[in-house]
Every structure is written in C-alpha cells, then in structure tokens.
Amino acid sequence: QLQLVESGGGLVQPGGSLRLSCAASGFTLENSAIGWFRQAPGKERQGVSCIGMSDGITVYSVSVQGRFVISRDNQKSTVYLHMNGLKPEDTAVYYCAPTKRAVQGMCIMTPARQDNWGQGTQVTVSS
C-alpha cells in the first residue's frame, strides 16, 4: 500500500539548516512526482516545493526559492528537502505527498489526493 513517511524536522535557530526526508513504500518512486507541503499554526496547508518524475524538473514557492533545494534518490525511494537560511516564518509541520503531473512528468504543486496525509515532521525556527 502506498505510504510516505516524513522525518528530519527539529528545532533550529534563524539562519540554520535542516534536511527533511520522505521515505516511500508501496510504489515505484521513480514513476511519481513528489511535493513538500507545510502547515503553520492557524494557517492553511501550502505548497513548498515539488519534483517531477525520475530526475524531473523542480518547482519552488516564492517564499523558499533560493533557500530550499528538493532532490530525490530513486534507488533509496527517498525525496529530500534541504532547507537553508531558515526563518521563523518557516515554522510549520512539513508533509510530503504525490503531486499532480503535467507534460513530461513535470510536477504541479497540488496534491494528487487530499485524503491521505501522513503525520508530517515538525520544523521550528526560533532564537
């Protein structure tokens, strides 16, 4: 059965870095576009970044562009989110999920489905 498990969150000071991991099972990761989403207290879930099928093109939200890097290791069935220059406004629970796809397997930063979110991993940026 399809399953994605997030890990790697924690407490970090402003300007610090973290690497989040999204481990996949129950399907071939190479054939899926994957996105990272986050939800801060009192706010709606929003897209952060996504990566297309295989070694696909990456997409970033304006708020994280230039600071975060999404990557994938298909042999390890894992998608990563390298977070640099963290800001207090990055504080949120981070989730990964398959995304909708456009032409040539490119990701669209919209979840493929809305009813199978995991537990996520907490990222807290505070001094």
Side-chain angles (χ1 to χ4, degrees):
Q1 185 173 335
L2 170 64
Q3 185 176 18
L4 295 172
V5 179
E6 304 92 341
S7 64
L11 174 64
V12 64
Q13 294 185 345
S17 300
L18 285 172
R19 187 185 74 169
L20 307 185
S21 297
C22 173
S25 62
F27 68 102
T28 302
L29 182 66
E30 185 176 12
N31 297 331
S32 297
I34 302 293
W36 284 96
F37 304 82
R38 67 186 182 187
Q39 186 169 27
K43 296 185 177 181
E44 298 296 320
R45 183 179 287 108
Q46 62 180 175
V48 176
S49 181
C50 67
I51 185 167
M53 294 174 58
S54 189
D55 296 327
I57 295 174
T58 57
V59 178
Y60 300 91
S61 68
V62 173
S63 62
V64 308
Q65 193 167 17
R67 298 188 296 120
F68 292 8
V69 177
I70 189 171
S71 64
R72 62 192 301 157
D73 187 332
N74 294 323
Q75 291 183 300
K76 294 183 177 180
S77 295
T78 302
V79 174
Y80 303 97
L81 184 66
H82 304 263
M83 310 167 69
N84 305 300
L86 285 163
K87 304 175 180 179
E89 51 262 46
D90 294 318
T91 296
V93 177
Y94 284 70
Y95 306 86
C96 62
T99 71
K100 295 182 177 180
R101 295 177 294 178
V103 295
Q104 298 180 323
M106 297 179 181
C107 69
I108 299 173
M109 201 147 44
T110 301
R113 56 187 296 179
Q114 299 279 5
D115 61 349
N116 66 337
W117 296 102
Q119 294 299 305
T121 185
Q122 176 72 51
V123 172
T124 302
V125 184
S126 177
S127 59

